[in-house]
Amino acid sequence: MSYQSARSNLLAAPAIAWLVVFMVAPCLLILSYAFFERGVWGGIEYTVTLENFARVVDPLYAKIFLTSARIAGLATLLAILIAYPAAYAISRAPRLRQPMLLFFAVLPFWSNYLIRTYAWMVLLNREGLINNLLRWFGYQGEPLSLLYTESAVIIGLVYNYLPFVILAIYSSLSRLNPELMEASRDLGGGPIRTFWRVTLPLTLPGVAAGGVFVFVLSIGNFVTPALLGGGRFQMIGNVVYDQFLSANDWPFGAALGLVLIAIMILLLMLQARATAHASGERARVEP
């Protein structure tokens, strides 16, 4: 082994050890728990069984998975629709102003996730800012019930994860070769045609990366549905949380968690494949 390789391995060792201890080992524990039975008084009974995975495909939990995927999908779509114009505007701003605009985009991360979610509870309740603004503009009806709804959960998820999408799309837009847009305009392509045929296809890796971020973090989220949903409906993250901390059924909670991990891995593989395909396209069109 050369000195250069030995030094690289030594520098990477703390990060690898951190990942092994705090990510690989817990995942292996979760994997093993999923194949055991629940004890009579909760916990683990070390008898091998596949019953936990059979329960995962029960229509009740399958419906919760579908509901979670629908909410996460809507949050992802809304986040992309909001983030793309914002990232585009930042990437087209004068270069000296871009760091300041990015700073404002990620500013919500400077406060705690729970505080941001509680802030939306204040905004959306019947005596909150939105209903007060409606009354100020002349609305005389009953206060709108915005809190403890599916829409409130989607709003909370979009707000909390939007900076991830802005940063991912901005990264793709900032690396876009401006000569490609100039070439499109020289060939008679208008702004809209240039956007659809050049800009958007070449920035899809950023869109995919941001979308996967939001979807993966949303489908397993249990804090936002609990606070903004008020417990009126469950997402799969809430079910996993309840199995570990309320029902004390760790094996079934582990099986549900494994399904979530499998979904995340599948999405990350698809995103990596899309990125590789787009990179090939970028290399083909760029001089």
Side-chain angles (χ1 to χ4, degrees):
M1 183 183 294
S2 66
Y3 172 75
Q4 187 69 25
S5 299
R7 190 178 67 171
S8 300
N9 292 337
L10 185 63
L11 291 174
I16 294 173
W18 178 277
L19 289 175
V20 169
V21 172
F22 294 107
M23 195 184 84
V24 177
C27 285
L28 290 177
L29 275 177
I30 292 293
L31 176 64
S32 63
Y33 286 170
F35 290 95
F36 293 126
E37 291 183 354
R38 177 182 184 272
V40 177
W41 307 106
I44 308 293
E45 181 73 34
Y46 293 98
T47 304
V48 177
T49 179
L50 295 177
E51 183 185 348
N52 299 311
F53 293 99
R55 289 175 64 190
V56 169
V57 296
D58 182 276
L60 172 64
Y61 297 106
K63 184 179 179 182
I64 295 175
F65 264 110
L66 291 176
T67 301
S68 304
R70 178 171 54 79
I71 292 174
L74 288 173
T76 302
L77 178 62
L78 194 56
I80 290 173
L81 291 177
I82 296 173
Y84 201 104
Y88 189 88
I90 294 173
S91 68
R92 293 295 176 269
R95 188 163 294 277
L96 289 177
R97 292 183 185 174
Q98 290 183 17
M100 182 185 68
L101 295 173
L102 287 173
F103 167 77
F104 284 121
V106 300
L107 191 59
F109 282 163
W110 287 38
S111 60
N112 184 275
Y113 184 96
L114 280 176
I115 293 175
R116 300 199 301 269
T117 306
Y118 277 120
W120 275 104
M121 294 179 70
V122 174
L123 291 172
L124 295 176
N125 70 51
R126 291 172 68 87
E127 298 300 325
L129 179 64
I130 294 177
N131 275 309
N132 286 332
L133 281 175
L134 288 175
R135 291 194 195 97
W136 188 73
F137 281 111
Y139 177 72
Q140 300 294 329
E142 285 290 317
L144 300 180
S145 298
L146 302 172
L147 192 59
Y148 306 140
T149 63
E150 186 175 304
S151 299
V153 175
I154 293 173
I155 289 172
L157 293 173
V158 170
Y159 175 74
N160 281 308
Y161 298 136
L162 187 64
F164 287 121
V165 195
I166 292 177
L167 291 177
I169 297 176
Y170 169 80
S171 176
S172 283
L173 284 167
S174 62
R175 287 186 285 110
L176 198 60
N177 188 345
E179 293 179 357
L180 295 175
M181 276 80 80
E182 292 177 11
S184 175
R185 286 192 291 269
D186 292 342
L187 293 172
I192 296 177
R193 190 180 179 87
T194 298
F195 175 80
W196 284 109
R197 300 295 296 272
V198 179
T199 306
L200 183 59
L202 293 177
T203 54
L204 280 181
V207 176
V212 169
F213 262 127
V214 178
F215 189 87
V216 166
L217 294 175
S218 296
I219 195 171
N221 193 298
F222 61 92
V223 174
T224 302
L227 295 180
L228 298 182
R232 294 186 177 182
F233 59 92
Q234 285 189 315
M235 290 179 67
I236 198 63
N238 302 99
V239 179
V240 174
Y241 176 89
D242 289 340
Q243 295 304 317
F244 275 98
L245 299 181
S246 298
N248 208 15
D249 191 348
W250 288 23
F252 183 51
L256 290 170
L258 278 182
V259 174
L260 270 181
I261 293 173
I263 293 173
M264 294 175 190
I265 292 174
L266 177 63
L267 288 173
L268 290 174
M269 290 174 64
L270 290 175
Q271 185 254 327
R273 187 168 182 174
T275 301
H277 177 74
S279 298
E281 289 293 313
R282 185 194 293 266
R284 187 172 63 83
V285 299
E286 288 186 347

